[in-house]
Amino acid sequence: MAGALINVPASARRGEIIEIKTLVSHPMETGYRRTQYGTVVPRDIIRQFVCTYNGEQIFRAEFHPAIAANPFIAFTTVATESGTIAFLWTGDNGYAVAESVKISVA
Amino acid sequence: MRVVGTVALLCTLAVPVRAVEIPPAERRSGYEFMSRETRAMQDDDAANPAMLWVLEGEALWARTAGAGERACRDCHGDARSSMKGVAARYPAFDATRGRPVNLEQRVNACRTERQKAPALAYQSRELLALTAYLGRQSRGLPIDIATDARMKPFLDAGRAAFNRRQGQLDLSCAQCHDDHWDKRLAGNAITQAHPNGYPLYRLEWQGLGSLQRRMRNCMAGIRALAPEYGSAEFVDLELFLAWRARGMKMETPAVRP
């Protein structure tokens, strides 16, 4: 499956509030379900999401078993300078997806 | 819960069956029955989780596969132009098989005959991704299947299957989707069963599914034995659903509750 879908404006005015939308592909298996034979389906979830803007953390979220599969996260930030907005999702079983986008601020 | 709802509905259905086809002016996509939030999810490509499959389909379109060492793109070029409106014409008549095939079968025909690669399984990630990607190229275009003399027997078979009572609950598709589409069943809108959004992301599935998967859900609901994925009976039903929805706009990849 395609890792992640990210939507950030390619350019913005300095001081403008921009919306960042992310969608990541993950089953988010809760660890509470059982198979028809009664064995527990092991937990497999994303534990953490971090967004950095030119290296500085601007948003972080912790995930728990009740989050839906393929979680969608949207948040806003202030466009301060041109550079890179980076995204990192990490979770159970060594799961890690990293993405980044460029933004130009004038 | 669902079974209780179905039993309650059974009592309503015991009264005479209307089974009249829905007049064109009254046809409504499943989209129109959804909550504001679910519509917003479908309307925004950045929030629609089905777009993850579309992206994957785009990658597969360009990837070489099979002994033929060809990608879909090597023969078909840019899907945005070459595949525009194609999904809206399926199921379409296939001369070699002498019967209509759905989009999944059409893709697999190219896989096995043109790419010399193994067919993709129904509900496999790859087949869902490719059909979602193809369907996306028809979004907003009207469903436009051929209804010539060659198609007629299959269309008639599909109509008969839609109207046939089946399962332990002895209900036909038409009893819910033609006669009671404006009512609710265990909290869910029944809707008119239009195929214009498939493959789609169903919140209940937490994933993408084909039209046949959706139909199997309804068959399980009435405790009927569902035909095999890709069977003639399913393709005929798909054909009839497309005919019933002719002219309606494609929404692929849609979102449904």
Side-chain angles (χ1 to χ4, degrees):
Chain A
M1 186 63 43
L5 240 162
I6 289 160
N7 204 282
V8 177
S11 60
R13 278 175 290 105
R14 192 178 310 276
E16 187 182 340
I17 295 174
I18 54 165
E19 185 173 32
I20 298 175
K21 299 187 206 173
T22 69
L23 195 56
V24 71
S25 140
H26 197 283
M28 296 300 283
E29 186 60 57
T30 63
Y32 297 129
R33 295 200 310 156
R34 285 171 187 273
T35 67
Q36 56 181 322
Y37 303 110
T39 45
V40 174
V41 183
R43 193 186 76 178
D44 180 15
I45 64 169
I46 302 174
R47 302 295 306 281
Q48 196 181 58
F49 167 72
V50 176
C51 175
T52 55
Y53 188 165
N54 283 344
E56 189 189 338
Q57 181 174 303
I58 56 164
F59 185 92
R60 188 181 71 223
E62 281 169 13
F63 286 65
H64 297 277
I67 309 270
N70 310 311
F72 172 68
I73 309 171
F75 52 96
T76 55
T77 191
V78 177
T80 49
E81 55 191 4
S82 296
T84 304
I85 303 184
F87 307 87
L88 179 64
W89 292 261
T90 49
D92 295 340
N93 307 315
Y95 175 83
V97 168
E99 291 282 346
S100 65
V101 294
K102 294 258 182 262
I103 182 166
S104 86
V105 176
Chain B
M1 279 284 279
R2 180 140 310 182
V3 173
V4 173
T6 311
V7 172
L9 184 86
L10 255 181
C11 306
T12 349
L13 294 180
V15 291
V17 179
R18 275 180 286 151
V20 276
E21 276 164 18
I22 301 164
E26 277 180 43
R27 286 186 308 181
R28 290 164 63 191
S29 163
Y31 176 87
E32 296 181 48
F33 297 81
M34 304 197 307
S35 69
R36 194 162 43 98
E37 292 76 12
T38 316
R39 288 186 196 197
M41 207 169 170
Q42 173 172 324
D43 291 342
D44 180 0
D45 277 354
N48 181 346
M51 291 308 291
L52 291 166
W53 280 260
V54 170
L55 267 184
E56 165 114 350
E58 188 175 20
L60 288 173
W61 181 258
R63 190 176 305 159
T64 305
E69 296 193 353
R70 298 283 203 92
C72 317
R73 194 176 61 187
D74 293 336
C75 293
H76 292 293
D78 187 347
R80 283 172 301 181
S81 48
S82 70
M83 290 291 145
K84 191 171 179 196
V86 168
R89 290 194 279 98
Y90 276 75
F93 195 78
D94 181 80
T96 45
R97 296 204 201 190
R99 58 159 294 114
V101 294
N102 64 13
L103 194 59
E104 287 86 348
Q105 291 170 328
R106 178 62 255 191
V107 168
N108 268 333
C110 273
R111 283 273 304 176
T112 55
E113 289 153 33
R114 314 268 174 197
Q115 289 185 309
K116 313 280 179 226
L120 298 168
Y122 256 86
Q123 288 301 130
S124 65
R125 210 186 64 193
E126 292 94 334
L127 192 55
L128 285 169
L130 276 169
T131 50
Y133 180 61
L134 291 174
R136 178 71 178 82
Q137 315 310 323
S138 290
R139 199 188 239 186
L141 297 175
I143 292 183
D144 183 24
I145 52 149
T147 50
D148 52 33
R150 293 182 307 180
M151 295 289 258
K152 189 160 183 308
F154 305 99
L155 192 57
D156 288 345
R159 179 187 283 109
F162 193 80
N163 288 302
R164 192 182 69 236
R165 282 171 173 260
Q166 55 175 323
Q168 288 180 323
L169 299 193
D170 199 28
L171 288 172
S172 71
C173 317
Q175 280 175 287
C176 282
H177 293 298
D178 279 348
D179 297 346
H180 293 92
W181 59 262
D182 52 351
K183 305 209 173 50
R184 299 179 76 82
L185 180 56
N188 302 314
I190 292 180
T191 83
Q192 299 181 350
H194 292 306
N196 55 327
Y198 288 84
L200 56 72
Y201 193 90
R202 194 167 175 218
L203 301 180
E204 187 179 308
W205 294 332
Q206 301 266 298
L208 206 75
S210 65
L211 178 56
Q212 294 196 4
R213 179 169 179 198
R214 174 64 252 194
M215 293 197 274
R216 291 172 76 93
N217 282 185
C218 280
M219 289 170 177
I222 54 177
R223 302 199 207 155
L225 203 61
E228 288 297 306
Y229 274 114
S231 64
E233 182 175 349
F234 259 144
V235 178
D236 293 346
L237 256 174
E238 278 192 41
L239 180 66
F240 176 68
L241 289 183
W243 177 81
R244 236 174 128 249
R246 61 199 177 283
M248 291 179 75
K249 286 194 170 58
M250 294 277 289
E251 295 171 14
T252 309
V255 176
R256 293 287 182 267

